[in-house]
Amino acid sequence: MRTIGQCELALELMCERGLERRTFGKALADNANIQDWIAQSRIEIDAARLLMLQTAWKMDRDGARAARVDVSAIKVMAARLQTQVVDRAIQVFGAAGITPDTPLSYLWTWGRAMRFLDGPDEVHLKVIAREELKRAKAELGKNLAHFVPPYRD
C-alpha cells in the first residue's frame, strides 16, 4: 500500500512538472510521450491497487497461506511499478529529479531496494510459476480442442 501511495505521489509530481515546465515554447505535458508516460503510470498504479486489494481480500477470507501466490505477485508488481513510475517522473524533471529537491531519487531507491527486501523477484516468480504449472498439470489435455492436429501423410 505504501508503494502505491508513493507511486501516486510520483505521478502527481510528474503531472505538475509536465504542466509547468516549458520547452520549445510549449508545456512538456503537450508532448505525446509525456502523455503516454502519465497514462501508462495511471494504468499500472490502478492495476497494482486492484491486485493488492484482491490479495488482502483473499488473506481475510482464506488466510495468508491461501494467498501466498497473490502475495508473491503483488510484491513483484509493486516493486517494479515503483521504479518504473518514479523513473518516468525523474525523466520529466530532468536533472532536478535526482537531487534532494524532490523526493523522487529517494522513492526510486526505496523501490529498487524493495525488489530484494521482501525476497528477490526470482523467488516470487518461481512461486507463481510453480502454482500455474501445478494447475496446468492437473488439467492436462483440457485445451486439446484448441490445437490443430498435426498434418499426416
Side-chain angles (χ1 to χ4, degrees):
M1 291 183 292
R2 179 179 324 136
T3 296
I4 292 169
Q6 291 174 349
C7 289
E8 287 285 359
L9 174 61
L11 178 57
E12 289 172 10
L13 291 170
M14 183 184 347
C15 289
E16 287 182 37
R17 179 66 168 181
L19 290 169
E20 83 173 17
R21 178 84 167 118
R22 302 189 69 75
T23 58
F24 304 107
K26 66 179 186 176
L28 277 179
D30 291 338
N31 292 303
N33 66 317
I34 304 297
Q35 293 173 5
D36 289 349
W37 293 347
I38 291 167
Q40 190 66 38
S41 297
R42 169 51 56 211
I43 291 166
E44 292 167 349
I45 291 167
D46 288 349
R49 181 179 286 111
L50 288 171
L51 180 57
M52 187 268 309
L53 289 170
Q54 174 184 298
T55 303
W57 171 77
K58 232 182 228 186
M59 289 175 77
D60 287 346
R61 188 186 69 176
D62 302 324
R65 181 87 179 127
R68 77 185 188 294
V69 172
D70 300 86
V71 169
S72 286
I74 193 60
K75 284 181 177 182
V76 171
M77 186 178 200
R80 288 181 176 183
L81 171 69
Q82 183 151 346
T83 53
Q84 290 169 350
V85 171
V86 173
D87 186 70
R88 291 179 195 130
I90 289 171
Q91 277 298 117
V92 172
F93 271 83
I98 57 173
T99 68
D101 294 344
T102 75
L104 295 173
S105 62
Y106 169 79
L107 294 177
W108 189 91
T109 303
W110 179 249
R112 183 61 185 103
M114 294 229 351
R115 293 186 64 189
F116 58 88
L117 291 175
D118 280 337
D121 287 0
E122 292 76 14
V123 172
H124 297 302
L125 293 171
K126 186 175 183 176
V127 167
I128 297 163
R130 213 180 298 157
E131 190 63 28
E132 286 297 313
L133 291 169
K134 184 171 128 182
R135 186 180 3 244
K137 191 180 281 186
E139 298 177 354
L140 205 55
K142 172 184 164 191
N143 292 303
L144 284 178
H146 299 288
F147 289 102
V148 175
Y151 176 76
R152 296 181 190 212
D153 286 334

